[in-house]
Amino acid sequence: MSDLKYSINAMYNGDRETILKGISSKTQIMVANAIIAGTQQGITDTVFVDELKKLVSNTEIILMGIPISDIAIAALDILGITKYNGDDEYIHSLITSKLAF
């Protein structure tokens, strides 16, 4: 198993340290998976939340056609940090899904 696959599996198995490293990674797929896994697990550590807030303005990282900024906005809402009051239907669907892909 590759190191990348091992790290992603660790995130979804609840490894907080890997999630916190992943959210600030230079590897886009690590960032995306860290957001999803961390949100699914309800992580509200300052490091995690601060990185999410930075990602709200990031339009360079795209996951399956979705800007990482949209996922970060949804994550902040799901975690109860920042309520999303916009009208973007896709962000609303991410929130409704609780990022349970």
Side-chain angles (χ1 to χ4, degrees), residues 32-81:
N33 279 283
I35 292 171
I36 295 166
T39 302
Q40 289 175 348
Q41 294 169 36
I43 295 176
T44 56
D45 294 9
T46 302
V47 172
F48 187 76
V49 171
D50 287 349
E51 289 298 322
L52 282 176
K53 288 178 179 178
K54 289 178 194 173
L55 291 167
V56 164
S57 61
N58 186 319
T59 56
E60 294 179 16
I61 300 176
I62 307 292
L63 173 68
M64 299 178 349
I66 307 165
I68 204 73
S69 57
D70 290 0
I71 300 170
I73 290 167
L76 288 167
D77 185 285
I78 293 163
L79 293 171
I81 306 299

Side-chain angles (χ1 to χ4, degrees), residues 1-20 30 33-34 37-38 41 43:
M1 182 180 313
S2 73
D3 288 342
L4 181 62
K5 176 75 171 140
Y6 179 81
S7 293
I8 291 170
N9 284 346
M11 287 183 203
Y12 289 100
N13 287 326
D15 186 334
R16 290 173 93 79
E17 183 178 328
T18 303
I19 291 169
L20 295 176
M30 288 291 288
N33 279 283
Q41 294 169 36
I43 295 176

